[in-house]
DNA sequence: GAGTGGTCTAGACCACTGT
DNA sequence: CAGTGGTCTAGACCACTCC
């Protein structure tokens, strides 16, 4: 004896999978569906809520429910780090041509729009522990939002932290008007004599906060993927920590691990 | 003019964060809460539904709503691959001592329970493309479920694929009664003369299917994290593909990328 | 059996979107 | 303004858990 709203959801799911309802197509109005399935409106809405949480439909207030189109994935590949390192010492003209994000996504610079904000913040406990500095140490916080130029919501939000007194050696690094910086963070660090030895990335997923739901334009049961990147220089010191927040339904992370030979 | 169920959710959220309601503690009954907040039961249930989707509470039918305890994370580190490779040629007694999962989780073999199923399946389009073999090629599918011995639901489900005719060189590899195999897949491959060169891991997150919700014991807005691991041998051939499905709220993936020196 | 959350109804009214 | 989804009510009955 299955629950009614599950049975209805099953039937709708099947109609979607069978292609009877095509991606992007509007579903009948909820009142019409309730009549069609001989149930009450709230129950029909429960059934649609299930499909929403499974990412099968989008709801648009005042417009209708739509079969969700498969998302274009944004890829991020850990080979980007070596690639960026190789370019960190290249001439500016070469660095300007392409950034790591364009490399990952296969898009050109003109497809992307990019917004950066700089501010100064004291290290909280978490960041202090990562950097190995006292709580309250002055950090530079840089927030980046990257969009496809033709899409409303950003496909990631990056919060990058540097120790203020370390990067102050080059005042340009404190100047947001220099963004986007050709060659990225590794080139910025190169200007103050820092070479990276390795990058540690920690990936987790969690339900979005209400702010993230709005900022990233999320719907339904979609989670956010959070990547914390820690950059370590050749002396073993942590020189950058950054948190990348991405919509779980549009993100694909690739990591290649090369093994020593026998 | 905020919606009522959001205002109620806000207040409950605050009571939880303030510690007035402690992790693990039962909330008042829904009918009692509805009375307390002077609203109807369905509206109160909408508010609780919000908290559920944010992962703040757990619902237990017939028992009550509880403030969710912070989850113990299961870690998976890409250093496990080199570690496993180093042990692939070790003596059996050493291999038996610990496996890669124990290494990742910090648990001992006796904390973990382990279930394996083998079967033979024809390659679908996706797998055929990965292995570079014709669709329909015989594959060995091995399904693993790993539990904390004291917890109901597994913390991951692994589907691992090998090309049947390649691994048949050692009949033991087709015999599920040999599980758990000391030393893992890399040792298994070593017995048929295969050495791995690199491992590519692709990470995505998506809403769980209904089956996954049950199998992994998920609640609320929790997503599943799916990791597709592709193992490539020293001749550049794909020798294993495996899909690891993990609950997003209990999983932490660590990837370290080492960079070449200037 | 008592108490809890789960499902469902029938209907009212509000808020958003497009024409 | 017409049509859509969003919020909310008051109450009935079912299903699960625990004592």
């Amino acid at each position: 004896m299955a629950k009614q709203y599950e049975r209805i959801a099953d039937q709708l799911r099947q109609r979607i999978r069978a292609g009877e309802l095509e991606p992007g197509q509007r579903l009948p109005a909820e009142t019409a569906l309730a009549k069609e399935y001989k149930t009450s409106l709230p129950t029909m809405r429960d059934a649609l809520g299930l499909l929403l949480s499974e990412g099968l439909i989008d709801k648009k207030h005042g417009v209708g429910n739509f079969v969700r189109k498969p998302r274009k994935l944004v890829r991020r590949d850990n080979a980007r780090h070596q690639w960026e390192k190789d370019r960190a010492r290249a001439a500016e003209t070469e660095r300007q041509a392409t950034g790591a994000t364009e490399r990952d996504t296969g898009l050109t610079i003109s497809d992307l729009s990019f917004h950066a904000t700089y501010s100064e913040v004291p290290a909280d406990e978490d960041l202090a522990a990562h950097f190995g500095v006292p709580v309250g140490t002055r950090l530079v916080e840089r927030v980046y939002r990257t969009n496809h130029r033709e899409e409303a919501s950003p496909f990631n939000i990056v919060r990058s932290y540097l120790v203020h007194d370390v990067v102050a050696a080059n005042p340009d690094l404190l100047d947001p008007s220099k963004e986007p910086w050709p060659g990225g963070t590794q080139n910025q660090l190169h200007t103050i004599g820092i070479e990276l030895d390795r990058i540690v990335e920690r990936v987790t997923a969690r339900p979005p906060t209400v702010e993230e739901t709005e900022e990233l334009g999320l719907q339904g049961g979609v989670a956010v993927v959070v990547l914390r990147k820690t950059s370590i220089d050749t002396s073993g010191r942590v020189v950058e920590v950054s948190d990348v927040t991405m919509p779980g339904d549009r993100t694909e992370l690739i990591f290649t691990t090369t093994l020593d030979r026998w």
Side-chain angles (χ1 to χ4, degrees), chain A:
Chain A
M1 148 86 197
K3 300 139 219 173
Q4 192 175 173
Y5 73 99
E6 279 189 358
R7 281 193 294 102
I8 295 171
D10 284 345
Q11 292 177 50
L12 288 172
R13 236 186 311 247
Q14 203 158 354
R15 284 170 70 175
I16 290 173
R17 295 220 200 279
E20 182 191 333
L21 300 166
E22 287 172 22
Q25 190 182 333
R26 220 203 80 195
L27 274 65
E30 301 185 346
T31 50
L33 283 172
K35 203 164 288 178
E36 182 181 341
Y37 286 99
K38 301 189 199 316
T39 186
S40 70
L41 220 193
T43 299
M44 177 52 68
R45 288 177 57 72
D46 282 350
L48 292 170
L50 256 188
L51 301 186
L52 180 67
S53 80
E54 291 164 17
L56 283 170
I57 64 171
D58 284 322
K59 285 179 156 281
K60 287 192 199 168
H61 189 173
V63 186
N65 298 309
F66 297 82
V67 179
R68 182 177 286 192
K69 291 182 192 162
R71 302 306 216 121
K72 240 186 330 176
L73 292 181
V74 172
R75 176 175 304 176
R76 181 190 168 102
D77 186 335
N78 72 335
R80 83 204 312 266
H81 301 129
Q82 182 64 53
W83 184 86
E84 201 178 283
K85 178 163 181 175
D86 291 342
R87 293 165 69 93
R89 293 182 304 171
E92 176 157 356
T93 50
E94 188 187 338
R95 283 183 276 120
Q96 269 173 342
T98 330
T101 304
E102 291 80 22
R103 178 184 170 282
D104 274 352
T105 57
L107 299 168
T108 66
I109 284 183
S110 61
D111 291 329
L112 295 170
S113 114
F114 187 78
H115 185 68
T117 326
Y118 282 35
S119 58
E120 221 175 271
V121 299
D124 63 19
E125 216 167 289
D126 176 40
L127 287 167
H130 267 74
F131 279 113
V133 298
V135 172
T137 301
R138 278 202 300 175
L139 303 178
V140 182
E141 180 189 61
R142 308 175 299 170
V143 180
Y144 302 91
R145 275 158 234 269
T146 311
N147 283 57
H148 282 169
R149 205 171 280 286
E150 302 301 337
E151 281 190 11
S153 40
F155 60 75
N156 71 26
I157 300 173
V158 180
R159 268 170 232 284
S160 164
Y161 298 91
L162 301 165
V163 175
H164 179 279
D165 291 353
V166 171
V167 298
N170 180 356
D172 281 355
L173 300 185
L174 302 175
D175 179 1
S177 74
K178 302 287 181 187
E179 293 279 357
W181 185 288
T185 299
Q186 288 205 50
N187 177 261
Q188 292 182 313
L189 293 171
H190 173 53
T191 68
I192 51 174
I194 291 176
E195 175 186 358
L196 294 189
D197 172 67
R198 64 188 185 279
I199 289 176
V200 178
E201 293 172 292
R202 172 185 180 277
V203 179
T204 52
R206 57 169 172 71
T209 64
V210 280
E211 293 84 18
E212 288 166 344
T213 303
E214 286 176 15
E215 283 195 306
L216 294 172
L218 300 178
Q219 277 244 347
V222 174
V224 295
V225 172
V226 181
L227 182 150
R228 162 156 291 193
K229 183 183 82 172
T230 306
S231 301
I232 298 158
D233 77 1
T234 51
S235 70
R237 178 179 52 158
V238 171
V239 292
E240 192 218 3
V241 172
S242 75
D243 288 317
V244 186
T245 306
M246 297 162 282
D249 60 343
R250 281 180 265 167
T251 304
E252 157 179 83
L253 306 172
I254 310 278
F255 296 95
T256 301
T257 308
T258 306
L259 303 174
D260 299 337
R261 289 296 175 91
W262 282 332

